[in-house]
Amino acid sequence: MLIFAVAAAVAAIDQVSKSFISGHFQLYQSVPVIKRLFHLTLVHNRGAAFGIFKGGVLFLIITACLALVLIVLYVKSRKEPLPFILKLALGLVMGGTIGNLIDRIFLGYVVDFLDLRVWPVFNAADSAITCGMALLFLYFIKNGRKAEELKHEARSTKHEARSTKHE
């Protein structure tokens, strides 16, 4: 299934990149890739995004596991096949969640290293989660609009049917 293949690929890329950086950088070492714009900087994040929930490793592990279970239940409960964009989005979110979950379970922190200098340092898993959530947002905005249009058409058709009935 595409969702699980994407998730596995994202988690693997995330873990390999973190392993490489951790093996070649000292903590807080920063190497410019594009001066003043993009650096590789090794940091250990003991919280969640932007360092919130510092020291809440157990809470973050439970939350990640819950998110993964909910995604799997959603996918398995669907009667009709999911559209490609939804499969891709869920795979990105799952893979990113798994990548960071592995760090939290085995290290007690998440390895971050992508440094845009004006944003907190992040990693491949964070990028996948962000892209997946953006795709989910766009998917539900687009399909929510379609659902509203269908409801409006149904009301209009019902209203027209009543009008012709009274004539």
Side-chain angles (χ1 to χ4, degrees):
M1 196 172 227
L2 180 66
I3 295 170
F4 302 112
V6 169
V10 166
I13 290 166
D14 177 66
Q15 288 297 299
V16 167
S17 64
K18 289 172 179 176
S19 177
F20 177 82
I21 294 294
S22 293
H24 290 85
F25 281 63
Q26 297 296 317
L27 189 59
Y28 305 116
Q29 180 183 353
S30 187
V31 175
V33 177
I34 302 171
K35 261 189 182 166
R36 292 179 297 212
L37 182 63
F38 175 61
H39 289 214
L40 296 176
T41 305
L42 177 61
V43 298
H44 295 165
N45 184 350
R46 298 188 184 280
F50 310 114
I52 61 173
F53 297 118
K54 280 193 195 277
V57 174
L58 182 59
F59 171 76
L60 294 169
I61 288 171
I62 292 168
T63 302
C65 290
L66 182 61
L68 291 170
V69 167
L70 290 174
I71 291 170
V72 170
L73 289 175
Y74 173 74
V75 169
K76 296 295 182 186
S77 71
R78 296 276 302 204
K79 303 275 189 263
E80 64 279 346
L82 294 171
F84 174 80
I85 189 129
L86 197 51
K87 290 177 184 176
L88 178 62
L90 292 172
L92 288 168
V93 171
M94 281 186 74
T97 302
I98 291 167
N100 284 339
L101 181 61
I102 290 169
D103 283 9
R104 285 193 177 98
I105 290 171
F106 292 103
L107 302 173
Y109 55 83
V110 172
V111 174
D112 287 333
F113 60 91
L114 300 172
D115 185 357
L116 296 176
R117 311 308 285 171
V118 296
W119 196 259
V121 181
F122 59 99
N123 59 45
D126 299 332
S127 298
I129 292 167
T130 301
C131 291
M133 293 304 290
L135 287 174
L136 283 172
F137 178 76
L138 292 173
Y139 173 81
F140 286 116
I141 290 291
K142 179 183 173 208
N143 289 299
R145 190 174 300 143
K146 280 184 185 175
E148 286 302 315
E149 289 169 8
L150 288 173
K151 285 179 191 174
H152 180 69
E153 283 177 29
R155 284 187 208 120
S156 296
T157 306
K158 217 184 257 187
H159 180 67
E160 288 171 15
R162 286 186 195 143
S163 296
T164 55
K165 206 180 210 184
H166 295 297
E167 289 177 1

